């Protein structure tokens, strides 16, 4: 089974991310230049100008952030750096342009994959690209994920088992000579911020990108070694990705590694929104009698996962697959209003408001 695909075409990568909601991950090597004193001084100047502009509203925005032309003393300094035997970098002689280039790169906000080629699609995204006729189609892979549906009723059973599994940890924690817990974890089927991921009036693009030429200088290269992961979890991730992608036509899904989860969920274009949730995929099984053995993380692992995402203003979700039924559980964190810390602050709302600052 092919596990991933590496992409080398700028227009192709840009289109599948913004038109088809399939964001690849950049694996390109960004050029790294020495952050010399010249560059750092220019960055400080830019910050000072921006601060001054706030105090002087009439100043033109174009006057802010323009690097000063390096004088002769700066050029002499760069030549000295270039001849230093201990220097690890080669200093270009044309200081003016290189300083400007480095400042623009350091202050750039757009980290889109198409600007940092090559990029790659993992198995779940690769399958979705095939279903949209963006890659050579593989019916076997498509049949593997098709037909999955979100099952809230079974998700409730999973949430109940997670809650029961946490009881022992809660008892042990209550017996410790420490201040009372200020929060409690309430597992429940995912409902919060869910409606905004589906818009009935959204027009689904029927445009088709011409398949990349796989002969000669490749624009698309299939690989088995980009991603190392347990086989069953990889399949579960593909099923969950396909189900959520096709169930919610406004949902954008990307890699969630930087927040300790498998996926980040956006309710719109990633260039305009912050993620509203992180989703971690767990593998559950069924025994010979048909009984479901839900995956049950430890209470300590769940608390850390939830607090980390909630602090970043995101929901903490868990997902698993049982017979093409996708279960998504929201690990809601609620305040214990009787706890001393909340009494002092006179808190009256049990749950933290999530999703108020999604726009960038």
């Amino acid at each position: 089974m092919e596990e991933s695909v590496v992409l080398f075409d700028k227009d192709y990568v840009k289109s599948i991310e913004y038109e088809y909601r399939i964001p690849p991950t950049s694996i390109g090597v960004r050029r790294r230049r020495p952050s010399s004193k010249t560059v750092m001084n220019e960055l400080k100047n830019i910050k000072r100008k921006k601060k001054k502009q706030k105090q002087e509203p009439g100043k033109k925005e174009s006057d802010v952030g323009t690097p000063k032309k390096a004088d002769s003393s700066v050029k002499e300094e760069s030549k000295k750096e270039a001849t230093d035997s201990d220097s690890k970098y080669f200093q270009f002689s044309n200081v003016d342009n290189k300083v400007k280039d480095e400042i623009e790169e350091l202050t750039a906000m757009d980290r889109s994959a198409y600007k940092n080629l090559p990029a790659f699609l993992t198995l779940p995204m690769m399958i979705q690209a095939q279903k949209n006729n963006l890659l050579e189609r593989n019916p076997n892979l498509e049949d593997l994920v098709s037909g999955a549906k979100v099952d809230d009723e079974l998700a409730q059973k999973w949430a109940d088992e997670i809650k029961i599994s946490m009881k022992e940890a809660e008892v042990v924690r209550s017996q410790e000579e420490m201040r009372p817990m200020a929060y409690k974890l309430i597992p429940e089927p995912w409902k919060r911020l869910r409606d905004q991921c589906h818009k009935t009036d959204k027009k689904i693009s029927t445009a088709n990108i011409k398949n990349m030429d796989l002969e000669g200088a490749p624009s698309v290269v299939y690989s088995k070694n980009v991603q190392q992961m347990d086989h069953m979890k990889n399949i579960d991730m593909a099923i969950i990705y396909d189900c959520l992608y096709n169930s919610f036509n406004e949902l954008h899904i990307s890699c969630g590694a930087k927040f300790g989860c498998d996926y980040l969920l956006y309710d719109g274009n990633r260039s305009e929104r912050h993620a509203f949730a992180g989703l971690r995929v767990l593998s559950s099984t069924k025994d010979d009698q048909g009984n479901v053995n839900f995956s049950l993380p430890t209470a300590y692992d769940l608390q850390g996962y939830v607090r980390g995402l909630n602090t970043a203003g995101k929901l903490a979700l868990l997902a698993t697959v049982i017979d093409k039924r996708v279960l998504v559980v929201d690990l809601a964190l609620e305040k214990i209003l009787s706890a001393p810390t909340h009494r002092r602050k006179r808190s009256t709302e049990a749950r933290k408001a999530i999703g108020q600052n999604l726009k960038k």
Side-chain angles (χ1 to χ4, degrees), residues 312-357:
K314 307 182 191 308
L315 302 179
L317 307 178
L318 297 178
T320 193
V321 179
I322 301 294
D323 294 337
K324 291 293 184 74
R325 289 176 291 175
V326 173
L327 287 52
V328 184
V329 168
D330 180 0
L331 301 172
L333 199 62
E334 288 192 351
K335 297 177 183 177
I336 300 176
L337 298 179
S338 59
T341 181
H342 298 311
R343 287 207 306 268
R344 288 197 302 271
K345 297 178 181 179
R346 298 180 180 179
S347 298
T348 58
E349 295 183 0
R351 292 193 179 180
K352 179 180 178 180
I354 300 290
Q356 293 182 333
N357 302 302

Side-chain angles (χ1 to χ4, degrees), residues 74-238:
V74 172
K75 292 183 178 181
E76 290 297 327
E77 178 187 346
S78 66
K79 291 179 181 178
K80 183 178 179 181
E81 291 178 357
T83 57
D84 187 355
S85 59
D86 295 332
S87 177
K88 297 181 181 179
Y89 302 98
F90 174 78
Q91 182 71 39
F92 291 95
S93 59
N94 188 355
V95 177
D96 298 356
N97 291 337
K98 297 306 173 184
V99 168
K100 183 178 179 180
D101 288 346
E102 184 173 352
I103 290 173
E104 289 177 352
E105 184 170 316
L106 290 174
T107 56
M109 297 300 293
D110 193 346
R111 302 300 186 196
S112 299
Y114 74 92
K115 291 190 176 181
N116 299 282
L117 295 176
F120 81 96
L121 296 175
T122 57
L123 176 65
M125 297 180 183
M126 185 183 75
I127 295 174
Q128 204 57 53
Q130 291 177 356
K131 294 177 73 172
N132 282 280
N133 295 318
L134 306 177
L135 290 171
E136 183 179 354
R137 303 193 71 159
N138 185 336
N140 294 329
L141 287 179
E142 295 179 23
D143 292 341
L144 186 69
V145 301
S146 297
K149 299 292 182 182
V150 176
D151 190 327
D152 292 333
E153 184 177 346
L154 196 55
Q156 181 64 63
K157 295 181 180 179
W158 187 24
D160 293 339
E161 290 205 19
I162 292 175
K163 191 171 184 179
I164 293 173
S165 70
M166 295 174 57
K167 290 292 185 182
E168 182 178 353
E170 292 174 354
V171 172
V172 172
R173 176 63 178 79
S174 65
Q175 294 174 348
E176 295 177 347
E177 295 182 0
M178 300 175 65
R179 62 181 182 181
M181 288 289 290
Y183 296 87
K184 60 182 177 180
L185 206 57
I186 309 295
E188 59 190 17
W190 173 41
K191 296 293 184 182
R192 294 189 295 171
L193 304 182
R194 178 165 151 175
D195 291 341
Q196 65 193 33
C197 298
H198 182 75
K199 294 184 178 179
T200 55
D201 59 344
K202 183 176 176 62
K203 296 181 179 179
I204 304 299
S205 174
T206 57
N208 187 11
I209 299 178
K210 184 179 179 180
N211 289 341
M212 296 294 103
D213 183 9
L214 302 182
E215 299 179 358
S219 295
V220 176
V221 175
Y222 289 90
S223 171
K224 294 184 180 181
N225 301 317
V226 172
Q227 186 185 35
Q228 299 295 331
M229 186 180 294
D230 176 75
H231 175 71
M232 287 306 300
K233 182 174 180 180
N234 214 353
I235 299 301
D236 287 347
M237 288 182 65

